[in-house]
Amino acid sequence: MYSEEIQVRTGQREAVVDLTDSVTAFLRPHQDADGLLHAWVPHATAGLVVIETGAGSDIDLLTALRSLLPADDRWQHRHGSPGHGRDHVLPALLAPSMSVPVLAGRPAWGTWQSLCLVDTNVDNPVRTVRLSFLPG
């Protein structure tokens, strides 16, 4: 198994960050190998998704999350920014881990699919993502 952590700057706003370039760079030394890419976000307030980016789907996702998880005072978990409790519910809807098949050193996702980090927690501007490659 090969593994490394990458740092992702999400800033102080809700974000969907495309990890495709980071995944491609991580897999480059394994360009002929088949196996499994596993991504893990060791945070209680972020998740991973496979989604189309660049055509507005990432913005639509954030809009849907705002509707499902409003940033208001309904949440029991209340430290941090107003509505921060919703950030702790996010990983129940968007898992903190994702596995993707790798064929000949490339993720086997479909056309328009990208692995993205989703972060609604404006109190944490930098996130860690652990990428692991398990050769088959």
Side-chain angles (χ1 to χ4, degrees):
M1 180 176 80
Y2 305 91
S3 187
E4 77 177 43
E5 284 187 344
I6 60 171
Q7 300 298 307
V8 179
R9 179 161 292 285
T10 56
Q12 295 182 324
R13 59 176 173 55
E14 299 174 332
V16 176
V17 180
D18 189 337
L19 301 175
T20 301
D21 290 344
S22 296
V23 167
T24 300
F26 171 71
L27 290 173
R28 192 166 290 120
H30 314 288
Q31 62 187 5
D32 296 323
D34 294 347
L36 190 64
L37 170 74
H38 185 77
W40 167 253
V41 179
H43 299 283
T45 58
L48 295 168
V49 298
V50 172
I51 192 171
E52 177 183 5
T53 60
S57 297
D58 43 348
I59 296 166
D60 292 341
L61 175 59
L62 290 175
T63 300
L65 289 172
R66 282 185 211 111
S67 178
L68 288 170
L69 304 170
D72 58 23
D73 64 358
R74 72 183 70 201
W75 308 101
Q76 297 300 307
H77 188 108
R78 294 182 186 262
H79 76 83
S81 298
H84 177 63
R86 71 165 186 150
D87 301 325
H88 285 275
V89 176
L90 179 81
L93 301 175
L94 308 178
S97 66
M98 176 78 57
S99 294
V100 179
V102 173
L103 302 173
R106 300 179 62 104
W109 43 54
T111 304
W112 311 120
Q113 288 183 318
S114 295
L115 176 62
C116 296
L117 170 69
V118 179
D119 185 7
T120 59
N121 181 359
V122 299
D123 296 330
N124 250 346
V126 178
R127 295 308 186 133
T128 299
V129 178
R130 174 162 293 282
L131 300 174
S132 300
F133 177 62
L134 302 128

